[in-house]
Amino acid sequence: MPQKLMAEALGTAFLLIGVVGSGIMGEALAGGNIAIALLANALATGCILYVIITTLGPVSGAHFNPVVTLAFLIRKEMTPSGAAAFIVVQILGGILGVCAAHLMFDLTIVQFGSTARSGAGQLASEVIATFGLLFVIFGGLRSRPESVAALVAFYITGAYWFTSSTSFANPAVTIARMFSDSFSGITPGDVPGFVIAQVIGLGIAALILPRLFAKPVT
């Protein structure tokens, strides 16, 4: 378990370094072109996801996301205590990753987001994005386990563009991005709505995916 917790903390930290660091760099170099900044942000996030899932998947399963951990708990592939420990280190690792990104760009280490992300459209986006992420993960595990890293990376890169929320789909990421007043940030007041929407996406996935990907009876 210590090895698994280290992997989850480190992986989530690198995920947030990728998300926030590329957001800061993209915004700085895009000259005010938000589309270019978002493209840079999406590509960097997809790249880091592929790397951390490939390298740390054999160690911890590469969750880096409380809803993924809870999904495995629902499938009875984790114990409640193990899932709770995973979620704690994911959140802490994410916050440390945000702080590391700020450090690299000579910004205030601890800050709070001021980017408002609210409204029915963005909340619906988080429900759909989270369901879609779990669909990709468990569909991939059902059909081509060796491709899950690529599938998740491609999905999140695309979801940056086809959701109005830019697809957080991860409570640990949402909480961590609250501590960044950058292109990737979110106001603290909008965090609870995003997390609730993500949990709803998990609930829908828990109802649908076991039936969709059930092994055929022979």
Side-chain angles (χ1 to χ4, degrees):
M1 182 57 75
Q3 186 182 36
K4 291 180 179 180
L5 294 178
M6 186 182 301
E8 285 297 304
L10 182 63
T12 312
F14 266 107
L15 174 57
L16 269 299
I17 289 171
V19 171
V20 175
S22 65
I24 294 168
M25 179 69 83
E27 186 177 38
L29 298 180
N33 189 323
I34 297 175
I36 296 298
L38 182 62
L39 178 62
N41 201 196
L43 290 175
T45 301
C47 288
I48 195 63
L49 276 168
Y50 181 80
V51 170
I52 60 178
I53 294 171
T54 300
T55 55
L56 295 175
V59 181
S60 68
H63 296 188
F64 316 132
N65 184 336
V67 295
V68 174
T69 298
L70 290 173
F72 279 101
L73 175 64
I74 292 169
R75 288 161 58 100
K76 298 182 179 179
E77 296 180 26
M78 290 197 75
T79 64
S81 60
F86 264 42
I87 292 169
V88 169
V89 299
Q90 288 160 359
I91 293 171
L92 293 177
I95 294 171
L96 289 174
V98 170
C99 293
H102 292 162
L103 177 65
M104 290 191 295
F105 287 94
D106 293 320
L107 300 176
T108 302
I109 302 298
V110 178
Q111 49 188 264
F112 290 97
S114 60
T115 302
R117 299 179 188 269
S118 60
Q122 295 214 36
L123 296 178
S125 291
E126 283 302 296
V127 173
I128 293 168
T130 304
F131 171 82
L133 174 62
L134 295 171
F135 164 77
V136 167
I137 291 171
F138 291 108
L141 290 174
R142 175 73 171 78
S143 58
R144 295 186 62 182
E146 72 282 2
S147 299
V148 169
L151 291 171
V152 171
F154 282 129
Y155 174 77
I156 292 297
T157 300
Y160 262 73
W161 288 87
F162 66 70
T163 64
S164 62
S165 64
T166 67
S167 186
F168 284 45
N170 183 332
V173 165
T174 305
I175 292 169
R177 288 169 68 166
M178 172 179 72
F179 293 99
S180 184
D181 189 19
S182 67
F183 181 80
S184 303
I186 179 173
T187 58
D190 291 332
V191 168
F194 264 48
V195 172
I196 291 170
Q198 291 155 5
V199 172
I200 292 171
L202 166 64
I204 296 170
L207 291 173
I208 294 176
L209 298 186
R211 294 169 175 81
L212 179 62
F213 296 123
K215 293 182 180 179
V217 177
T218 56

